[in-house]
Amino acid sequence: MIRVAAVGDIHMGPDTRGVLRPAFDTLPDCADLLLAGDLTRHGTTDEARVVADEIRGLGVPVVAVLGNHDHHDDRQDEVSELLRDAGAHVLEGEATVLSVGDARVGVAGTKGFGGGFVGASAGEFGEPVMKEFVRVSRRCADGLRTALERLAEEDCDVRIALTHYSPVPETLAGEPPEIYPFLGSYLLAEAIDTAGADLAVHGHAHAGSEHGMTTGGVKVRNVAQPVIGRAFHVYHLPLRERVGADARASAG
């Protein structure tokens, strides 16, 4: 059994330094790894240093994707480097394989982007800026799919898709429907279902709902901190040999 601790949208700044560390220090007793996204308020390096101190030396692997807030100050490369210096695996269209005991846990990650969902989604048509909006979403989804496919070749016991934007509308329930196109994209779900995963984790939708599922049967969890209401939530994934697109593990 793999114990996945997950939280997103912690939005840390200098005034919250140390707030989460006492809870994070308990992770080795209750979880095997921590997943996270949208870590800062405005994407400044000062805020990123606070996050780095919060996750440094936790005793469990930390995997992260950046969120829209982490891009706001246009210092996303510096933010990523500070987090990597603290030991985090920061992913964008990439995958990492972690050894947890005798198990191999693969995590594929991308920030993702908006665009909406089936029946109410943006199309690659019209003004150049509109076409680029959709192309960014597609590039993110393609990167996620490719990363998950690489993990399938790595004989991982568990595969996790980590995004910031949501792959399904169900975990957005509670947000105004008018802003759904800015909270996620069905292209992410298509990538997850095409390549296969055992759990999909995202944040971004602070007023959303925790539980959802892709049309292919992959459980989706919105772990934005305002949604889960705690420092992190732990999901238990049973180990299965050579997990593929048709083998689904259960998530709490």
Side-chain angles (χ1 to χ4, degrees), residues 173-242:
E175 296 279 4
E178 293 83 359
I179 68 171
Y180 278 23
F182 306 104
L183 298 178
S185 169
Y186 78 95
L187 295 172
L188 294 170
E190 283 192 348
I192 292 166
D193 284 339
T194 298
D198 301 291
L199 177 67
V201 175
H202 76 88
H204 194 37
H206 294 194
S209 303
E210 183 182 357
H211 295 83
M213 184 176 292
T214 68
T215 56
V218 177
K219 289 182 171 65
V220 179
R221 299 294 179 258
N222 177 359
V223 299
Q225 193 175 53
V227 172
I228 62 175
R230 64 195 79 177
F232 55 83
H233 188 76
V234 178
Y235 302 97
H236 295 82
L237 300 177
L239 292 179
R240 297 184 182 183
E241 293 184 3
R242 299 172 184 256

Side-chain angles (χ1 to χ4, degrees), residues 114-191:
F117 303 92
V118 175
S121 59
E124 197 172 321
F125 181 85
E127 301 92 329
V129 68
M130 187 64 188
K131 289 185 281 191
E132 181 59 16
F133 181 96
V134 176
R135 286 168 184 164
V136 169
S137 293
R138 194 172 300 282
R139 287 196 294 268
C140 290
D142 288 346
L144 179 65
R145 175 183 50 77
T146 301
L148 285 168
E149 289 172 344
R150 283 198 293 264
L151 292 178
E153 298 172 357
E154 295 280 349
D155 290 330
C156 294
D157 299 289
V158 170
R159 283 188 293 164
I160 300 168
L162 175 62
T163 65
H164 181 59
Y165 285 76
S166 177
V168 296
E170 288 83 1
T171 51
L172 305 181
E175 296 279 4
E178 293 83 359
I179 68 171
Y180 278 23
F182 306 104
L183 298 178
S185 169
Y186 78 95
L187 295 172
L188 294 170
E190 283 192 348

Side-chain angles (χ1 to χ4, degrees), residues 98-112:
L98 307 170
S99 295
V100 178
D102 295 329
R104 290 168 57 80
V105 178
V107 184
T110 181
K111 174 178 65 67

